Amino acid sequence: DRCVLKFSSCGSSLAQQDDSGEMAAEEVQKGVTVIVGSQWGDEGKGKLVDLLAETASAVCRCQGGNNAGHTVVVGDTRFAFHLLPSGIVHKTCKSIIGNGVVVHVPGLFSELEVNEKKGLQAWQDRLIISDRAHLVFDFHQLIDGYLEEEKGKGSIGTTKKGIGPTYASKAYRNGIRMGELVGNFERFSERFHQLLESSCRRFPQLQGKVDESAELERYKTFAERLRPLVCDTMSAIHEIIKQGGRVIVEGANAAMLDIDFGTYPYVTSSNCTVGAVCTGMGIPPTLLNRVHGVLKAYTTRVGGGAFPTEVHGDVEKVLRDRGHEYGVTTGRPRRCGWLDAVALRYSNMVNGYTSVAMTKLDILDVFDEVKIGKVYRHNGKVIPTIPADQAMLEEVEVEYETLPGWKQSTRACRKFEDLPTNAQAYVLKAEELIGVNIEWVGVGAERSSIIRRV
C-alpha cells in the first residue's frame, strides 16, 4: 500500500529523536494519545496538539468536517485549520484525515492554499486521506440551509457546511466516498447523478441550483490532485504503531456537542467523544494510552441550546473581548459563561480523561472575583449530571463556588509557581471540582505560554 510505504520510517525515526528524556520515550512506545474538547468546542485543542506533535509520528482527524476550527500560533504566524490536522505545521509529523471525517474537497484545497501563503510547506509529503472518508458536496451545504429554515425558531445554529446532510447520506447508504472519486470516474459520475437526483426529490428547492456537468468537470480535476493523497489510512496508522511510533488523534468539536452525549438536538452530527477514535480511524481501544481533555478557564458555546453558566452584560463583554471569542469557521460571536464543573464531570465520565489542559487562564486576569459552577438544582433538587432532557437543562439553577480574582497579568508566567496565589487557587479548585488532574495551564496564545505542572 502506498501509504504504508510512504510512512514506513516514521516510527523508527521518531524513536531516535528523544529530546525529552525517558518520559518521551515511554510515550512513543505506548501508541495512541487522544485529545478531545471537554466543553462546547473552541477550547484550544489545536494548541495542545501542536505542543505534543513535536514528538509525534502522526496527527489524525477522526470525525467532523470543515465545521471545526483550530488555531495554531507559530511565532508571529496564526494558522487556521478546519479539515487539516493541527500537526501539519510540523515537518516531521504525518497528518492523516481518517475515514470518520467528511471532506469538502474545494474547502480542503482552499484551506491548503490559504495556509501555504502563511508559510505551510511540503504538505504533500505528509498528508494522506482515507479512501473511506465521505465527500461533502456543495449541494449538501444548500440542504443544510434548507433544514435550518424548516426548523424556524428551533434552528440549531449549524455552520451550514453540509456536515449533517453528508452524514445523513452516509447513513442512507447513498453517500460517496473518497476512494470512488479517485477510482473509476465513470462510476463516480453515475453515483453523483443518483445522489443529486435523490436529494432533489427530497428538496425540490435544489432543482436548477446544481450544474451537474460543471460539477463533474470540477471533480475530475480534483480527482487528479487527490489521487496521490488517498489510500487505506488504517493500514498506515497500524504500521506506524507497529514500528513504535506515537499517534495523536485530534478530536473536532467537543463532548457537549456529541450527537449522543451532547445537549441534543443542539449538537454536531458526529460523535466527538473518545469512541470516535475507534470507529473514525480504525484504531482498537486496546491501543489507546492517554486521553487528554481540553477546557477553557471559562465556558463558551456557539448557536442555540442550554448553557447553564452563561453570563450577560459586562462580564460577557469582557470575556468575549479579551478572549477574542468569535468562531474560527463562522466568525459568529460566542456565548460566554463561567466554568461549569458539572458539565466537565459529565464529560470526564464519557471520555475517561488521563488529564486535562486548561487554556486561557489569562482572560480572567482582570476580574475582582471568578466563579465555578459546581452544582445543578432543578425544582430544588440536586441533579448530579447533565440531564438528557434539554428543557430541564434550560431550567436548572447553578450553585457557584466564588473565588477572589488575582487582578494581575499571568501572561509572562512560565511555571505554575509563578502564577499569582489566587490564580493557582482557582486552578486547584477547578481540579478538585472536576475530579481530574489539570496537567497544563495556558496563559497566552504562543507555544511558550503553556505551563506544564509536574
Side-chain angles (χ1 to χ4, degrees), residues 61-75:
R61 275 280 306 274
C62 65
Q63 46 73 224
N66 62 343
N67 57 334
H70 295 170
T71 302
V72 174
V73 179
V74 182

Side-chain angles (χ1 to χ4, degrees), residues 21 136 144 189 198 293 326:
V136 181
D144 217 350
S189 300
S198 172
Y326 298 89

Side-chain angles (χ1 to χ4, degrees), residues 399-437:
E399 181 180 319
Y400 289 94
E401 182 85 23
T402 302
L403 296 94
W406 42 96
K407 300 288 287 183
Q408 64 186 92
S409 177
T410 57
R411 289 181 177 171
C413 299
R414 293 297 176 264
K415 296 180 181 178
F416 188 72
E417 296 75 19
D418 295 338
L419 292 171
T421 302
N422 286 355
Q424 293 183 43
Y426 178 79
V427 174
L428 294 174
K429 177 55 70 173
E431 184 175 76
E432 175 191 327
L433 291 173
I434 299 166
V436 182
N437 173 46

